[in-house]
Amino acid sequence: MSSPAIYIQNPIKYDYKQLVKHVIESNPGFSGVIIYIEQYIEDSLHLNYILSKYYSIAREAATASRNQSTYKFDIDIIFNRPIDATVVSNWGIVFTWEQDSLDDLRSEFNVITIKSEQPNESFKAEIETESFKGQEFDTVAVGGTFDHLHDGHKILLSMAIFLTKKKLIIGITGEQLLVKKKFHDQIESFETRQSAVLKFIDLINVDPYISIDIYQITDVCGPTGFVSDIDGLVLSRETASGGEYVNNYRKEQGFSALKVIAIDVIGGEGGDKSNNWKGKLSSTDIREFESNRSKRQFNHNETNGVQHDSVKRIKVDDKKEE
């Protein structure tokens, strides 16, 4: 099934916020969108800035124009990949600013040009942390539950593949460590989560020679605790302190320390460590939505005298997960 695409030529130099907002808010029938970045991104600071900015803009626009939860509105940002048959295989309509030339695509797609003034200069990301070049590390590790794969997960995986030269190690939390998670009955199976991760990696990975190793996480450190040959570890700022724990454990094992790269927390504007990154995008919130929806469906069926063996009563805990 084809998806609408938004072509962004140079997000480092210009701000394309209005284009993204216009496309999503003017087309409430869209169930998702692909954002294609033409400008080659060379360092992790620019990538972190661009991904966090445009995932947030697209999600906010989808929420503003739809009167229901929009976590199922699918957003994918593709960068550092040439426009070839693989990349455009599922593109439908393509939207772009009128000054961004797409003449070579007009014969293949319905290209809709949005008239506007020249985009404003893009806000340059302030250099607060160390910057890294693409494919700077031979082996990079990244981990998480990856439950109901969302924008934050996608940024985490995007940064990890960007930094990897030879091997990307992905740790996915095993089900035995998730039994105490809130709304546990809504957690996807390990196989479902693994499939979603690999599908996204296949979409964004420009280098077919990078090997992808998947591990099931059964303890705090996961593969970083027993695989010695790892150079970098990608985390969110919310969990950055975990990098120190991992490096202390690796030191005890006689392994080299990992360079820790922290990405921005999505949906956490005004949030920081002191308030548990208030407003962050969370798999817990998605599971809560699904749990409440199941409860409403059960009540509806019960009220109308409908009995289904597959419908089970779900206890909803109103307390948020820390």
Side-chain angles (χ1 to χ4, degrees), residues 183-201:
F183 313 105
H184 172 264
D185 57 321
Q186 298 297 329
I187 294 177
E188 296 173 320
S189 69
F190 180 87
E191 290 74 22
T192 297
R193 290 179 283 132
Q194 176 179 249
S195 177
V197 166
L198 290 175
K199 180 180 179 181
F200 181 71
I201 288 294

Side-chain angles (χ1 to χ4, degrees), residues 26-291:
S26 300
N27 297 278
F30 288 170
S31 60
V33 69
I34 296 168
I35 298 177
Y36 177 80
I37 307 294
E38 172 70 24
Q39 176 67 34
Y40 189 84
I41 302 171
E42 297 182 348
D43 66 79
S44 60
L45 283 176
H46 276 133
L47 180 61
N48 196 355
Y49 166 66
I50 290 167
L51 292 178
S52 62
K53 174 178 178 176
Y54 286 100
Y55 270 113
S56 293
I57 289 171
R59 184 64 55 191
E60 289 168 4
T63 301
S65 57
R66 292 154 177 81
N67 296 320
Q68 59 183 357
S69 173
T70 60
Y71 83 84
K72 288 188 176 180
F73 184 87
D74 197 25
I75 304 166
D76 291 314
I77 298 181
I78 300 175
F79 61 95
N80 287 8
R81 294 200 64 170
I83 297 181
D84 55 24
T86 302
V87 169
V88 303
S89 61
N90 63 337
W91 285 15
I93 303 170
V94 179
F95 296 87
T96 183
W97 288 126
E98 62 180 345
Q99 69 272 14
D100 289 346
S101 175
L102 276 177
D103 292 339
D104 54 339
L105 291 179
R106 293 185 188 278
S107 61
E108 299 182 52
F109 301 100
N110 178 15
V111 177
I112 297 180
T113 300
I114 307 299
K115 294 184 178 181
S116 71
E117 298 178 358
Q118 182 76 6
N120 295 326
E121 287 287 327
S122 180
F123 174 77
K124 297 297 189 303
E126 295 182 3
I127 299 178
E128 299 177 348
T129 58
E130 190 174 357
S131 178
F132 302 97
K133 298 297 183 183
Q135 297 191 318
E136 182 156 335
F137 303 102
D138 283 344
T139 304
V140 173
V142 62
T145 62
F146 299 109
D147 181 41
H148 293 87
L149 194 75
H150 58 62
D151 305 341
H153 295 144
K154 291 179 179 181
I155 296 177
L156 198 68
L157 293 167
S158 295
M159 181 62 74
I161 200 70
F162 170 78
L163 294 170
T164 301
K165 183 176 182 180
K166 295 180 179 179
K167 180 186 292 185
L168 175 59
I169 294 176
I170 304 174
I172 302 177
T173 308
E175 294 175 3
Q176 67 272 27
L177 294 183
L178 301 175
V179 293
K180 293 184 179 180
K181 290 283 188 180
K182 293 198 178 218
F183 313 105
H184 172 264
D185 57 321
Q186 298 297 329
I187 294 177
E188 296 173 320
S189 69
F190 180 87
E191 290 74 22
T192 297
R193 290 179 283 132
Q194 176 179 249
S195 177
V197 166
L198 290 175
K199 180 180 179 181
F200 181 71
I201 288 294
D202 186 58
L203 174 69
I204 64 171
N205 184 20
V206 69
D207 189 344
Y209 296 104
I210 292 176
S211 63
I212 310 295
D213 289 357
I214 301 287
Y215 289 85
Q216 184 170 163
I217 298 176
T218 58
D219 55 30
V220 176
C221 290
T224 61
F226 59 83
V227 178
S228 61
D229 189 21
I230 302 176
D231 307 302
L233 174 64
V234 179
L235 300 169
S236 72
R237 294 194 188 281
E238 178 192 8
T239 60
S241 60
E244 182 178 356
Y245 178 89
V246 166
N247 276 332
N248 287 336
Y249 184 84
R250 286 177 63 84
K251 183 178 180 181
E252 294 174 358
Q253 310 309 308
F255 299 161
S256 60
L258 306 177
K259 183 66 72 173
V260 177
I261 304 93
I263 66 161
D264 292 334
V265 178
I266 300 304
E269 184 175 354
D272 55 33
K273 186 176 181 180
S274 66
N275 57 24
N276 194 32
W277 303 94
K278 181 181 178 181
K280 67 183 179 182
L281 184 61
S282 166
S283 294
T284 305
D285 293 334
I286 295 174
R287 293 197 300 271
E288 180 179 19
F289 174 84
E290 287 298 315
S291 181

Side-chain angles (χ1 to χ4, degrees), residues 183 287-297 316:
F183 313 105
R287 293 197 300 271
E288 180 179 19
F289 174 84
E290 287 298 315
S291 181
N292 286 332
R293 186 170 69 169
S294 296
K295 183 180 180 182
R296 288 193 299 271
Q297 183 62 47
V316 178

